[in-house]
Amino acid sequence: MGTLDLTVIVLYFAGLVAVSLIMSHRIKNSEDMFIAGRNSSWWLSGVSSYMTIFSASTFVVWGGVAYKSGIVAVMVAIMLGFSSLIVSRWISGRWRRLKIKSPGEYLTVRFGHGTLRFYTFAGIIGRGIHTAVALYAVAVVTCALIQVPEGSVFASTGLPGDSAPGCLSIWWALAILGGITLLYTVAGGFLAVLMTDFIQFGVLLSVVVFMVPLSLHATGGIGSFIEKAGAIPGFFSPTSPTYGWIWLVLWMCLHVAMIGGDWPFVQRYISVPTVKDARKSTALIGVLYLLTPLIWYLPTMAYRTLVPGPGMDVDPVAMTRLGEGAYVNMGKTVLMAGMVGMMLAAMLSATLSNVSGTLNVYANVYTYEIWGRRKRNAGAGERERIRAGRLFTLVFGLIIIGIAMLVPLAGGAEKVVVTVITMVLCPLYIPSIWGLFSKRLDGNRLVLAMLISWVIGFTAKFRIPADVLSPSLIESLAGCVVPVTILGIMELWCRARGIRSDGYAALEEHVDPEAETEPGPEARAAGRRYSQMALSCFCITLAAIAVLLVALLIAGDPKTLAVKGTVIAFIIAIAIISGTYCIYRFIKR
């Protein structure tokens, strides 16, 4: 990476921090800090949720699957689209129907404060490690692309676990990336999360869309790509031996639980004005995941036709490593100076969105349901709540950065960690969704169901041979089928004995009467302000990319001139989008 690429990355992150500082002045109370005062527009909430799903693994892990196995990676992503549509139809509206300020408040009302402590403890450990691994993964990509002269304080130390000599040190990368995320999340709260998610969406979409025609051009055109890729056995098959139809259906069910019950998503459902908005925001996730996966993975699929590799039958380990680096390598092959930096910024954006969302939602639960329930804090004012939330965000963020710094010392154990955490976290989502519908499940049974699920899951994981059941299928069964089966048995047992939960009756008293009505003038005005700010940031981001491309054309950059027609078409598209928005704003003045 050259000076221009590094300049682009620095300017990008400076923009994120600037947006967060602007948002900090709009935070008047704790609801603004954690749920945007329930004034987020449905599409802004939907895009933010869409970005929450992304991380470096989208490009590294699933990009690697697209390189090795082709279209099956697209099918894996499309399953999330179906999951989101299911959540939109039956679940997300139920969350907004409740008058709650945090997912933790729901757990306290429905299952009791003891269950909340159990969930919070398990979630902080699980989410903390999961988020730290995601941060480490994107730091690895960053270090591979940024060269640093040996002897520099930022250079690799050469110690075990550090990056390659001559590259940015992995520990500096973690400190810088984690510090930036902490800064804009602490300062701007959930408003900053929404705004930066939309900026990140603009960067991610524009760079990947730009890479698609360049990647196909590098392969000799779409016809040549189809011919070469078609010669690879199973490359255009929707399934593979690892990811068969049963696995895909279980994957979809797992993500119904995640998108329907994971706290970062719930926080976005309760941040919109009405039940209808919550459903529409989740439907938007579904539509995006049905339409965009082919765009995400075409560059790595095209790279397979340029660099075939040794083949899975010859050296599967080498193929996996080549696949995990395929996205970055394709970007370096087809993108011009400056746009490589923009690609890295896009990949960083995906993970940092995940990190910032996790920090904010746990700060939300801590402030309202743990710190706020202590006797000495019961009468705390809004300033004290905001201060407590920011302090928790800072401490939790530093812990995540610390855990991420320990990952390389564990000898690359991140894949094992991700597998284990997936088996811990996924069974947590299902009971909270179950409690929205069931009148019988109580907190004690919920905790018992989770403990039984974990025991069965981990026993199967470490005792069943891989030739009997594949590890990926065991994980899916343990994370989805086992907890649903246990909860179903408990439900039938309670029904047979006429047992009802007092928590469900208490939840019915927390229904928000305003959730089914259109917001008032003040709320609509606040929503318009946030929407206009997000769209303005989006257009400014696109305009910056267009200016960069124009400068490269004027400077006569060889790579840019080689694909001059594509570059000009992209600049014109950005001009049309930005111009249309400017005209709209002028008319609406």
Side-chain angles (χ1 to χ4, degrees):
M1 287 179 64
T3 303
L4 183 57
D5 294 306
L6 293 175
T7 302
V8 167
I9 294 172
V10 170
L11 290 175
Y12 171 77
F13 283 118
L16 291 186
V17 172
V19 169
S20 70
L21 294 176
I22 293 172
M23 290 296 102
S24 68
H25 295 296
R26 295 179 177 269
I27 296 176
K28 306 302 181 185
N29 53 54
S30 56
E31 285 200 11
D32 288 341
M33 178 77 180
F34 298 120
I35 55 174
R38 299 193 198 276
N39 293 321
S40 171
S41 61
W42 64 268
W43 55 266
L44 186 56
S45 175
V47 169
S48 182
S49 298
Y50 177 76
M51 288 302 301
T52 298
I53 300 174
F54 275 87
S55 70
S57 64
T58 304
F59 302 96
V60 177
V61 177
W62 295 112
V65 172
Y67 173 85
K68 293 182 296 182
S69 304
I71 207 74
V72 67
V74 177
M75 283 298 301
V76 170
I78 286 176
M79 290 296 105
L80 273 67
F82 292 122
S83 300
S84 301
L85 294 178
I86 292 171
V87 173
S88 172
R89 177 64 180 84
W90 285 288
I91 300 174
S92 57
R94 281 186 170 259
W95 285 115
R96 180 58 192 92
R97 176 174 169 265
L98 303 175
K99 193 172 186 178
I100 55 175
K101 295 180 180 179
S102 75
E105 184 179 355
Y106 158 76
L107 287 173
T108 301
V109 173
R110 180 64 181 84
F111 298 112
H113 200 61
T115 303
L116 171 68
R117 287 195 295 268
F118 170 81
Y119 255 78
T120 304
F121 181 72
I124 284 178
I125 293 176
R127 265 293 179 185
I129 297 175
H130 189 272
T131 305
V133 171
L135 185 61
Y136 169 75
V138 78
V140 169
V141 176
T142 304
C143 292
L145 286 174
I146 298 180
Q147 304 298 311
V148 177
E150 292 190 25
S152 169
V153 68
F154 298 103
S156 172
T157 61
L159 296 174
D162 205 348
S163 52
C167 294
L168 177 68
S169 170
I170 187 70
W171 289 291
W172 270 113
L174 289 168
I176 294 170
L177 294 174
I180 291 170
T181 310
L182 262 181
L183 180 59
Y184 75 72
T185 307
V186 169
F190 189 58
L191 287 174
V193 172
L194 290 174
M195 296 301 159
T196 54
D197 277 354
F198 203 70
I199 293 172
Q200 292 159 355
F201 173 75
V203 173
L204 185 70
L205 187 64
S206 58
V207 173
V208 176
V209 167
F210 187 56
M211 277 185 67
V212 168
L214 298 184
S215 301
L216 293 175
H217 178 269
T219 64
I222 189 168
S224 176
F225 163 71
I226 293 174
E227 181 181 352
K228 293 175 183 177
I232 302 171
F235 203 73
F236 287 134
S237 172
T239 61
S240 70
T242 304
Y243 306 108
W245 285 114
I246 294 177
W247 186 92
L248 288 172
V249 171
L250 289 172
W251 178 256
M252 181 187 72
C253 294
L254 281 169
H255 281 83
V256 168
M258 185 189 80
I259 297 170
D262 194 9
W263 285 4
F265 293 96
V266 174
Q267 186 184 31
R268 285 156 176 80
Y269 303 149
I270 64 177
S271 71
V272 295
T274 67
V275 168
K276 183 179 179 181
D277 289 321
R279 289 172 176 160
K280 287 164 67 177
S281 73
T282 324
L284 178 60
I285 307 172
V287 171
L288 288 172
Y289 258 107
L290 291 177
L291 297 178
T292 58
L294 186 60
I295 297 174
W296 303 137
Y297 298 125
L298 257 177
T300 52
M301 292 167 65
Y303 190 70
R304 177 69 186 274
T305 66
L306 294 178
V307 183
M312 291 297 294
D313 296 334
V314 178
D315 191 345
V317 175
M319 279 293 286
T320 297
R321 290 177 178 171
L322 189 60
E324 289 178 347
Y327 225 106
V328 173
N329 290 327
M330 191 55 159
K332 292 164 68 176
T333 299
V334 302
L335 292 176
M336 54 287 301
M339 289 301 292
V340 175
M342 195 65 74
M343 178 197 68
L344 179 57
M347 296 180 70
L348 295 176
S349 296
T351 298
L352 298 190
S353 170
N354 187 297
V355 175
S356 63
T358 297
L359 290 174
N360 189 264
V361 73
Y362 278 95
N364 180 353
V365 173
Y366 169 80
T367 302
Y368 284 125
E369 300 304 317
I370 298 177
W371 181 88
R373 284 183 173 269
R374 295 175 182 170
K375 288 184 179 180
R376 59 189 175 88
N377 300 323
E382 291 299 327
R383 287 187 177 181
E384 287 80 4
R385 289 193 182 95
I386 292 171
R387 189 180 301 116
R390 283 175 168 161
L391 180 60
F392 177 86
T393 302
L394 178 63
V395 173
F396 189 31
L398 290 174
I399 291 173
I400 287 174
I401 295 170
I403 294 172
M405 289 184 173
L406 294 176
V407 172
L409 300 179
E414 63 274 12
K415 291 185 180 178
V416 176
V417 172
V418 170
T419 298
V420 172
I421 297 308
T422 299
M423 293 176 67
V424 170
L425 288 176
C426 285
L428 282 173
Y429 310 144
I430 296 172
S432 62
I433 298 174
W434 197 286
L436 291 171
F437 298 88
S438 170
K439 300 178 181 179
R440 306 178 190 283
L441 184 69
D442 62 16
N444 292 332
R445 293 185 181 88
L446 180 150
V447 174
L448 179 61
M450 294 306 91
L451 293 176
I452 294 173
S453 297
W454 289 336
V455 169
I456 292 174
F458 285 119
T459 301
K461 177 70 177 176
F462 295 113
R463 297 298 295 273
I464 297 178
D467 57 348
V468 176
L469 277 179
S470 69
S472 60
L473 187 58
I474 290 175
E475 292 166 17
S476 299
L477 291 170
C480 181
V481 176
V482 171
V484 168
T485 301
I486 294 170
L487 290 169
I489 292 171
M490 288 182 172
E491 183 78 15
L492 293 174
W493 186 86
C494 291
R495 182 186 293 271
R497 284 158 178 76
I499 297 173
R500 295 175 66 91
S501 170
D502 293 336
Y504 189 83
L507 193 68
E508 288 295 296
E509 297 177 3
H510 272 68
V511 172
D512 186 356
E514 298 179 359
E516 298 285 359
T517 61
E518 289 299 316
E522 186 177 344
R524 286 199 300 269
R528 280 196 300 270
R529 285 197 301 272
Y530 297 152
S531 298
Q532 289 172 358
M533 289 187 66
L535 287 171
S536 297
C537 291
F538 178 79
C539 290
I540 290 171
T541 303
L542 292 184
I545 295 173
V547 169
L548 173 61
L549 293 175
V550 169
L552 291 171
L553 283 174
I554 295 173
D557 177 69
K559 265 192 173 181
T560 308
L561 294 177
V563 287
K564 184 177 179 181
T566 301
V567 172
I568 292 175
F570 196 67
I571 293 171
I572 292 173
I574 290 176
I576 292 172
I577 294 171
S578 301
T580 302
Y581 176 65
C582 290
I583 294 171
Y584 168 79
R585 286 294 303 274
F586 180 79
I587 294 173
K588 289 292 183 178
R589 286 180 61 183

